[in-house]
Amino acid sequence: MWVTADGHIRQMLLANGRYDEARGERESAYTGSYQVVGTRIEYVDDTGFSADGTFDGDVLHHAGYVFYRESSDAHRQAREER
């Protein structure tokens, strides 16, 4: 699970190449497929919209947002800095 520092956006990357993104109280706000190549992730949502991101350890930069691997040191630090 990848989350923003405030936990508002939560993105589950499933082992079958699908993702499910929740925003606030809205579960499954966005769903689609993803592919990881090296440190890069490419998304295609179920409406055909595409986006990408880059992993840096336990940090994911995606579409202007910064996500953290949930419960990682990076996530704890980001929450403390808020």
Side-chain angles (χ1 to χ4, degrees):
M1 177 74 75
W2 293 84
V3 298
T4 54
D6 62 5
H8 181 74
I9 304 174
R10 300 164 313 281
Q11 191 176 89
M12 188 179 314
L13 301 179
L14 305 168
N16 64 356
R18 299 279 301 163
Y19 73 90
D20 190 316
E21 182 174 298
R23 292 189 175 226
E25 298 297 317
R26 187 174 169 209
E27 297 296 323
S28 299
Y30 298 96
T31 58
S33 61
Y34 75 91
Q35 182 177 15
V36 176
V37 178
T39 60
R40 183 174 170 82
I41 185 169
E42 296 183 10
Y43 301 87
V44 178
D45 79 12
D46 291 336
T47 68
F49 177 79
S50 63
D52 59 44
T54 305
F55 292 101
D56 182 12
D58 288 330
V59 179
L60 168 60
H61 298 272
H62 163 60
Y65 292 98
V66 179
F67 291 83
Y68 303 89
R69 187 183 306 270
E70 190 173 44
S71 301
S72 68
D73 288 340
H75 182 219
R76 283 190 285 279
Q77 183 176 355
R79 288 178 54 195
E80 290 172 5
E81 291 175 357
R82 286 191 58 232

